[in-house]
Amino acid sequence: MADAVIIGAGPAGAMAGALLARRGYDVLVLERQKFPRFSIGESLLANSMHFIEEAGMLEAVLAKGFQFKNGAAFVSDGRYSEYNFAQKSTAGYAYTFQVPRADFDKVLADDAARQGAEVRYEVEITGVDFSGDLPRVHSRTAAGGLSSHRARFVLDASGFGRTLPRLLNLERPSDFPVRAALFTHIEDHVAAGAFDRQKIRVSIHPEQRDVWYWLIPFSNGRSSLGVVATREFHQRFEGSTSERLWQIVSQEPSLAALLAQAKPVAQVGEIIGYAANVTALHGKGFALLGNAAEFLDPVFSSGVTIAMQSASLAALALDRQWRGETVDWTADFDAPLKYGVETFRAFVRGWYDGSLQDIIFHTRQDEHIRRHICSVLAGYAWDTTNPYTGTHAGRRLDALARLCRNA
């Protein structure tokens, strides 16, 4: 019997596995796919470095030579605004990395195994049973072998697979509109100095502010390229996913010019209706981590940071619980996690309704406020001293946007 069975070996699962194994617990991680495997969510936030260090993985990550990242750049119809993480108001790391997730996720999973977690790949979860004193997780290997795993607790870090929400009927529709993303990897062939490779480049469609593009440079001369829009916008374009992506890129002149010599090196992927939510983040014998619980939107690269925060909170709660302390999972896990999620939710809403864009591109920004905004963009969405975090973030962003428009 394991102390914890963790479903999924992505960032949330690997980090939870390492944090618990470091505390001496018996951890079994079951991953449906074989690593390395492709994933998006490649531009990390600075706050993620704290969690990487906490899990004892910093040395392994630094050794891979990933692309250094110190901020974010925004482009809209000739306007340019950048945020350098060193200018944030919150103490902590001011840098992070932009990473091919196939490599990054394998580094984390391998390091979790190095620290004592058992990681098994190509294992599909076929059922769960939480009716008894201890949870049971049923699985099937790629070769067809069936197993039943008993554990003191189950952590679902299955990402978009959303294993426990599906099996336990916890899924709840997101209140965000249905959006779609087209994405690929390219050899970008951008001339040195043409753009800042130490920042994610987020550009906005010149006519539709809710359509945006990401360009995430890697250290090997490649970049991740993607476009996010409503499903109806994507349906205006005909052809293959590749043809549609490049047609949409051609509508943003500065990005099209930057990528004039780019060569695709991967098939174009498409995700439709990625936003998701659940009715509960925890229950008897289980908790949901990262995207298995809720995914908002890729625009501020919040997914991996939220996943790591959830892993850190869950590991701490389990350690306290197993040492005999009374743990209130609503107060000790749900509430603190949701504080940052609500911060990012407000920023995502503000991005798509245009209010946050008005703030970002305002030419006379108050430096004190700008530092608070920068902190959230750097991932410090749990800083309770920042007035633009938590449940009041949306209202304050709206008020700030009105001031920017009237200035």
Side-chain angles (χ1 to χ4, degrees):
M1 183 186 77
D3 290 309
V5 166
I6 300 175
I7 303 171
M15 192 153 290
L19 288 168
L20 290 172
R22 287 165 65 85
R23 291 174 166 90
Y25 297 111
D26 188 341
V27 180
L28 174 63
V29 182
L30 303 176
E31 166 58 47
R32 181 173 59 87
Q33 295 181 289
K34 182 179 180 179
F35 278 24
R37 53 89 177 96
F38 180 85
S39 180
I40 57 173
E42 299 139 321
S43 189
L44 305 182
L45 301 183
N47 193 21
S48 65
M49 300 300 291
H50 162 75
F51 300 113
I52 291 170
E53 182 179 38
E54 178 188 26
M57 297 175 167
L58 186 56
E59 183 177 349
V61 170
L62 292 174
K64 289 296 292 184
F66 293 121
Q67 173 64 53
F68 180 85
K69 175 187 174 183
N70 64 7
F74 299 91
V75 182
S76 176
D77 199 20
R79 297 178 296 172
Y80 181 88
S81 179
E82 67 176 40
Y83 285 77
N84 190 314
F85 293 159
Q87 297 169 347
K88 59 185 172 54
S89 61
T90 308
Y93 280 96
Y95 73 90
T96 184
F97 299 101
Q98 299 181 142
V99 298
R101 284 286 300 279
D103 299 333
F104 178 73
D105 289 9
K106 190 171 189 306
V107 168
L108 299 192
D110 287 349
D111 208 70
R114 178 189 66 81
Q115 297 190 59
E118 181 182 356
V119 183
R120 300 181 190 175
Y121 295 99
E122 297 184 283
V123 178
E124 179 184 5
I125 306 305
T126 58
V128 292
D129 182 359
F130 291 94
S131 62
D133 292 337
L134 293 174
R136 284 191 177 273
V137 176
H138 306 293
S139 67
R140 179 175 56 234
T141 67
L146 302 178
S147 296
S148 179
H149 314 276
R150 194 169 55 146
R152 298 166 72 185
F153 207 87
V154 177
L155 295 174
D156 185 358
S158 59
F160 289 118
R162 299 172 61 77
T163 299
L164 290 188
R166 288 188 295 103
L167 294 175
L168 300 179
N169 195 29
L170 299 175
E171 292 190 293
R172 185 180 75 188
S174 171
D175 57 0
F176 283 156
V178 174
R179 296 189 176 93
L182 290 166
F183 51 87
T184 189
H185 282 183
I186 57 174
E187 292 278 1
D188 59 67
H189 296 292
V190 176
F195 82 115
D196 188 347
R197 300 190 73 90
Q198 295 185 354
K199 293 178 176 65
I200 181 176
R201 185 186 193 273
V202 175
S203 51
I204 301 162
H205 191 280
E207 297 177 0
Q208 296 201 209
R209 298 177 75 185
D210 63 338
V211 178
W212 64 276
Y213 309 76
W214 76 70
L215 183 64
I216 302 170
F218 301 136
S219 59
N220 59 1
R222 296 184 175 185
S223 289
S224 173
L225 170 68
V227 59
V228 175
T230 63
R231 183 167 50 183
E232 291 74 21
F233 181 87
H234 280 289
Q235 289 172 344
R236 298 179 189 178
F237 303 89
E238 298 181 350
S240 66
T241 53
S242 179
E243 291 168 333
R244 288 158 51 213
L245 171 63
W246 289 103
Q247 287 177 61
I248 301 173
V249 168
S250 72
Q251 295 194 338
E252 205 288 88
S254 66
L255 181 62
L258 197 64
L259 299 181
Q261 304 301 319
K263 304 295 182 185
V265 293
Q267 290 185 336
V268 173
E270 183 174 27
I271 300 177
I272 300 173
Y274 46 73
N277 208 337
V278 291
T279 58
L281 292 177
H282 75 276
K284 178 190 174 186
F286 74 87
L288 308 180
L289 308 183
N291 293 348
E294 181 171 10
F295 182 75
L296 298 171
D297 192 271
V299 64
F300 297 118
S301 307
S302 61
V304 172
T305 301
I306 292 173
M308 291 179 174
Q309 173 72 293
S310 67
S312 177
L313 289 169
L316 177 61
L318 282 176
D319 181 47
R320 290 177 51 214
Q321 183 170 293
W322 290 339
R323 287 190 289 107
E325 296 183 33
T326 299
V327 173
D328 181 339
W329 278 83
T330 299
D332 298 334
F333 177 74
D334 289 25
L337 181 59
K338 286 179 178 178
Y339 185 93
V341 172
E342 290 306 310
T343 302
F344 284 122
R345 190 190 310 280
F347 273 62
V348 170
R349 289 189 189 281
W351 176 262
Y352 285 106
D353 69 24
S355 59
L356 188 57
Q357 294 182 31
D358 291 336
I359 295 168
I360 287 173
F361 291 107
H362 186 57
T363 55
R364 298 189 302 277
Q365 298 182 23
D366 179 275
E367 191 58 34
H368 187 66
I369 294 175
R370 180 180 171 84
R371 288 169 63 85
H372 287 317
I373 301 297
C374 185
S375 283
V376 176
L377 297 180
Y380 293 92
W382 290 267
D383 179 1
T384 58
T385 68
N386 185 338
Y388 295 96
T389 64
T391 56
H392 299 296
R395 177 174 54 82
R396 288 169 177 161
L397 285 175
D398 288 341
L400 179 58
R402 286 194 296 272
L403 290 174
C404 291
R405 295 186 193 111
N406 295 328

